[in-house]
Amino acid sequence: VRPFVEMSAPPPLPAGEGSIRPLPRHVVDSIAAGEVLTRPSALVKELVENSLDASSSRIDVTLSAPVVLDKIVVSDDGNGISVPDLALAATRFCTSKITCTADLRGPSDGAAALTTFGFR
């Protein structure tokens, strides 16, 4: 069984935006997150949110569990990661979703609301 999720995604990023980059130290120090994924459902949620942030309109989730869950595959039709960004995609404190501490504030702080699932 291949569950299918169809949701509205955030608008695509303008050209030239969205490349993965290291966060400045002062921004890293402002983030009180260090998410540890301990359950398969948390992993699927994180991967689906990444797909939505990539402006996907179609997301397929495949779970392989002949006896125990041994494989999770999430595929989408989103923007994807460029080859130069692949190494940074798995590097600590690197992201395409924020660039400064102002990006972490919400409407109650007088700033625009966050538009990604990555930082809420």
Side-chain angles (χ1 to χ4, degrees):
V1 174
R2 282 183 81 173
F4 175 68
V5 178
E6 196 159 352
M7 305 172 87
S8 57
L13 294 171
E17 291 185 32
S19 61
I20 298 171
R21 62 205 160 269
L23 290 172
R25 184 82 229 160
H26 70 280
V27 176
V28 170
D29 293 340
S30 299
I31 300 172
E35 187 170 3
V36 176
L37 303 173
T38 57
R39 299 181 54 144
S41 60
L43 176 61
V44 170
K45 177 182 175 284
E46 178 69 22
L47 294 173
V48 167
E49 288 175 350
N50 288 345
S51 293
L52 291 170
D53 282 343
S55 300
S56 301
S57 60
R58 180 180 175 96
I59 303 168
D60 291 305
V61 177
T62 304
L63 307 174
S64 175
V67 176
V68 296
L69 181 62
D70 65 349
K71 186 176 181 181
I72 298 172
V73 177
V74 176
S75 58
D76 62 52
D77 63 352
N79 295 330
I81 299 173
S82 67
V83 173
D85 282 344
L86 284 176
L88 288 175
T91 302
R92 192 171 189 188
F93 305 126
C94 291
T95 185
S96 62
K97 298 176 182 181
I98 62 171
T99 59
C100 61
T101 53
D103 294 337
L104 297 170
R105 294 192 302 249
S108 63
D109 299 322
L114 293 173
T115 59
T116 72
F117 288 102
F119 293 90
R120 290 176 282 150

